Amino acid sequence: MHKGIATVCLSGTLEDKLNAAAAAGFGGVEIFENDLIASAWSPEQVREHCDRLGLSIDLYQPFRDFDSADPDTVRRNLRRAERKFDVMRRLGTDTMLVCSSVSADAVDDDELLAEQLRALAERAGEHGMHIAYEALAWGRVVDTWERSWEVVRRADHPALGLCLDSFHVLSRAQSGGTSIDGIAQIPADKLFFLQLADAPHLNMDVLQWSRHHRLFPGQGSFELAAFTSAVLATGYDGPLSLEVFNDVYRQAEPGRAAVDAMRSLVALEESLGREPAPASPPELTGYAFTELAVSSAADHQVARALAAMGFAHVGQHRSKPVQLWQQGNARVLLNSGTDQATAVSALAVDTVDPAASAARAEAFLAPKVPRTRGAAEADLSVVAAPDGTSVFFCRTAAAEDGWMSDFILTGANSHALAGLSHIDHVALAQPFDYFDEATLFYRAVLGLAPWHDAEFAAPFGLVRNRALTDARGLVRIALHGTVLRRGDWAPGVPDPQHIAFASDDIFASARAMRARGAPLLSIPDNYYDDLEARLELAPDLLAALRECQVLYDRDDDGEFFHFHTEVLGDRVFFEVVQRVGDYSGYGVANAPIRMAAHRAARQA
Ligand SMILES: O=C(O)c1ccc(O)c(O)c1
Ligand SMILES: [Mg+2]
């Protein structure tokens, strides 16, 4: 389908926005008048530039509050509209957006409102143009799509139709004010335009919600696929046009934001099952490995910690300063060949079809990471996640030509000295500005689904957590970040990252690691006193938790046990977890305890 984007979604001047939209592969744009008025280009020059870029101008939005109880205001608005039809002719566009009025003098009479819109449509028709009428959720009188349809139906003019905007419809539907049920019955020739935006569920003033928090489809919680399907069921075949007002995207580099936006439409089309969509995500079977870039100073520190946790140095890369450490099926690469401070530099997922995974990543515009590779080394596909972490597609089971054959085995044994079996999850702090982009990236590229969302009060600020996982829970990625960053007081671990390993006997793992001298994190006694008060744990269990410094959580599905190492380098630590029953969370309730404990450990 024809994909468009409103200029309000992107940062910069009109020229910046058009160039970014075209580079990301959009076929059209909606131009908001302010962008044109501030442009040094004449409407003809804008049109020529769009032609050169292969962009159509699908819609022009020149003004608000058209209708009025005051006849003189209506007369002036009609005169102004005539001038704008002229601008639209010069731009080469034929659809004008008119939103329902938010003004105190908005017409509160469907018949009169229909008459005023008919007068506008009559003039538009004379210029070969159309009016798309849109109900704003906070419109003074018309605030649902049903009411806007009633008015358009009454006006009964061929040059007047509807613009549906998913935000207005779905935000109102959340509070029960409207529903998508009747949309499919709108005649296609009366549906002139479709604007798409997602949003997180928030309980706040709808105008503020719309102006600051809209998101690209797939980044929020709205049912965009159901909404869009209802619209397409009418027979609508106009543009799918993104209209996202968002504080981050309005400041972000427009080229990158436009790619993110395009990714959201490709994903939406896939969920509609209409287009020749990218092949569905190949099944993931777990983590092949996680790679840490280690600074030379921390190099030995991380290796020592892994050894004390029961890992063995089982392999050395043939051509790079990279070590493979392994315990059970948990594999960690230590790469000392970068100049980076110690950090998670790559995730490698095991997929049943690495080539198909890579093709899917390409279809979703994931940036490829160029690699150097020695003779006879595995040809691995790598893309960059929004925070810069490399994502590899591997198939560890394919022993002959798999990634592990790039390593010369040391002969060390990888049996589970401390009971670790595999990587349970990887947790990555996200820069605030990339949080939503990262959600969509992992959702689209890896086919993960957003799972647990949580916000919690931590010692150094509110933290937002979002975990994404595949259907079987074999690849879990936990994203987190501060909701707001202010000032430079930074006593916590800056942008922490951790790798969590699974154990099926957490106490045995903790004891084994302690005996081997692992740098495990101490937990305050207060925590265990509170656990006892809250959860009435059996005395033996509580004693074991306290002795082993293990944190505990439970919910209706099961129980969760976990403990952590101290921070290695500036920001990385390890976690060991045990899931019991169907517990699928991450012990978020304990995160503030862990953060305070990391701070205390650094001061000690
Ligand atoms: O926030 C607004 O004013 C506004 C303007 C135009 C739209 O299409 C819309 O959905 C909202
Ligand atoms: Mg809109």
Side-chain angles (χ1 to χ4, degrees):
M1 300 186 71
H2 181 79
K3 299 186 189 70
I5 185 166
T7 54
V8 282
C9 302
L10 301 171
S11 188
T13 62
L14 182 58
E15 297 86 304
D16 295 327
K17 295 175 188 215
L18 296 176
N19 292 339
F26 283 95
V29 288
E30 294 177 40
I31 296 186
F32 270 51
E33 179 156 88
N34 293 347
D35 285 312
L36 178 74
I37 293 175
S39 171
W41 287 346
S42 68
E44 287 81 2
Q45 285 173 306
V46 173
R47 175 185 189 156
E48 278 163 28
H49 191 68
C50 286
D51 280 348
R52 268 198 304 279
L53 294 175
L55 288 174
S56 55
I57 301 177
D58 300 327
L59 184 100
Y60 187 61
Q61 182 177 159
F63 57 64
R64 315 276 164 107
D65 300 334
F66 166 75
D67 62 88
S68 172
D70 170 21
D72 205 43
T73 303
V74 178
R75 189 192 51 73
R76 274 188 281 112
N77 285 347
L78 283 171
R79 177 187 170 276
R80 187 164 160 214
E82 291 280 357
R83 297 289 190 282
K84 299 305 170 184
F85 293 138
D86 192 45
V87 173
M88 287 167 61
R89 180 186 49 72
R90 295 167 66 195
L91 281 172
T93 184
D94 64 1
T95 305
M96 176 189 281
L97 184 73
V98 172
C99 300
S100 62
S101 174
V102 300
S103 155
D105 71 353
V107 173
D108 192 1
D109 169 345
D110 286 357
E111 197 51 53
L112 179 58
L113 182 52
E115 192 182 305
Q116 294 186 2
L117 288 171
R118 194 185 304 120
L120 179 63
E122 184 59 29
R123 285 170 174 73
E126 286 162 10
H127 294 268
M129 296 188 180
H130 304 91
I131 305 295
Y133 183 57
E134 175 185 8
L136 299 182
W138 55 94
R140 178 104 181 170
V141 174
V142 174
D143 60 355
T144 61
W145 76 263
E146 288 94 339
R147 187 87 184 255
S148 61
W149 169 229
E150 173 59 23
V151 173
V152 166
R153 209 184 47 73
R154 275 178 194 247
D156 190 24
H157 193 286
L160 180 67
L162 282 184
C163 167
L164 290 182
D165 177 326
S166 63
F167 179 85
H168 299 300
V169 176
L170 298 175
S171 63
R172 288 297 313 257
Q174 181 179 293
S175 55
T178 183
S179 107
I180 65 171
D181 294 344
I183 287 179
Q185 274 79 55
I186 302 172
D189 65 345
K190 281 294 174 187
L191 203 43
F192 287 1
F193 207 75
L194 175 60
Q195 293 177 323
L196 294 171
D198 200 344
H201 281 312
L202 294 170
N203 274 317
M204 68 186 298
D205 173 70
V206 67
L207 171 70
Q208 299 299 326
W209 189 12
S210 176
R211 293 263 173 92
H212 298 280
H213 301 284
R214 287 193 186 202
L215 293 169
F216 294 118
Q219 296 178 334
S221 317
F222 283 4
E223 298 288 342
L224 263 296
F227 171 82
T228 311
S229 295
V231 173
L232 297 182
T234 64
Y236 173 82
D237 65 353
L240 299 183
S241 188
L242 296 167
E243 188 194 35
V244 169
F245 305 85
N246 177 289
D247 295 342
V248 170
Y249 288 112
R250 287 178 98 154
Q251 294 182 51
E253 193 275 300
R256 177 169 177 164
V259 168
D260 198 6
M262 176 53 80
R263 183 177 296 137
S264 79
L265 283 185
V266 177
L268 179 66
E269 280 185 336
E270 177 181 52
S271 68
L272 297 172
R274 288 174 58 107
E275 294 293 306
S280 55
E283 196 176 323
L284 303 179
T285 55
Y287 278 102
F289 62 83
T290 308
E291 180 181 287
L292 290 172
V294 285
S295 66
S296 36
D299 186 346
H300 301 296
Q301 188 192 11
V302 177
R304 264 201 317 275
L306 285 174
M309 292 176 76
F311 282 78
H313 175 200
V314 300
Q316 183 66 43
H317 197 275
R318 294 179 191 280
S319 66
K320 296 173 185 167
V322 179
Q323 299 178 345
L324 167 60
W325 288 72
Q326 183 166 353
Q327 175 172 190
N329 283 318
R331 299 174 205 90
V332 178
L333 304 189
L334 299 185
N335 183 347
S336 51
T338 71
D339 296 330
Q340 245 184 298
T342 298
V344 174
S345 47
L347 312 175
V349 294
D350 260 328
T351 139
V352 296
D353 188 346
S357 288
R360 184 176 167 88
E362 188 173 354
F364 283 105
L365 310 170
K368 277 207 178 118
V369 179
R371 295 187 76 231
T372 53
R373 142 170 105 95
E377 288 175 8
D379 183 12
L380 298 174
S381 303
V382 197
V383 296
D387 67 356
T389 304
S390 294
V391 177
F392 285 74
F393 302 109
C394 298
R395 188 153 174 262
T396 304
E400 319 76 58
D401 59 347
W403 66 273
M404 279 180 51
S405 55
D406 290 353
F407 288 82
I408 298 165
L409 300 184
T410 61
N413 190 320
S414 63
H415 70 247
L417 275 182
L420 303 187
S421 53
H422 61 278
I423 293 175
D424 179 89
H425 67 272
V426 179
L428 301 172
Q430 296 298 298
F432 180 82
D433 288 3
Y434 302 155
F435 205 97
D436 299 309
E437 184 183 343
T439 301
L440 177 60
F441 177 90
Y442 289 116
R443 203 171 178 172
V445 172
L446 297 185
L448 306 186
W451 207 241
H452 284 264
D453 248 356
E455 217 171 78
F456 61 89
F460 315 110
L462 274 188
V463 173
R464 168 153 86 132
N465 244 63
R466 170 171 295 159
L468 296 107
T469 171
D470 66 304
R472 298 191 297 162
L474 299 177
V475 172
R476 301 168 184 268
I477 298 176
L479 308 176
H480 55 93
T482 47
V483 178
L484 188 71
R485 183 69 186 119
R486 289 288 180 273
D488 50 16
W489 196 71
V493 179
D495 301 326
Q497 301 178 317
H498 71 264
I499 304 171
F501 304 110
S503 162
D504 50 22
D505 185 345
I506 193 95
F507 298 119
S509 293
R511 289 184 186 118
M513 289 185 195
R514 190 178 302 160
R516 299 172 64 88
L520 303 185
L521 187 63
S522 302
I523 300 302
D525 247 7
N526 294 342
Y527 171 77
Y528 296 99
D529 295 345
D530 176 61
L531 264 192
E532 199 283 324
R534 275 195 293 132
L535 304 179
E536 298 182 40
L537 297 181
D540 286 0
L541 175 59
L542 191 69
L545 291 168
R546 203 186 288 264
E547 176 218 320
C548 294
Q549 302 280 278
V550 170
L551 301 166
Y552 177 80
D553 188 30
R554 72 179 179 211
D555 61 19
D556 293 345
D557 300 324
E559 295 176 292
F560 189 61
F561 299 83
H562 55 150
F563 67 87
H564 306 85
T565 68
E566 293 180 354
V567 176
L568 309 165
D570 292 331
R571 57 190 294 218
V572 172
F573 59 91
F574 298 119
E575 179 181 20
V576 176
V577 311
Q578 182 178 2
R579 297 177 183 276
V580 177
D582 289 330
Y583 183 95
S584 57
Y586 297 82
V588 162
N590 297 323
I593 310 298
R594 182 248 300 156
M595 291 175 180
H598 272 145
R599 155 95 157 139
R602 297 191 139 196
Q603 284 176 311

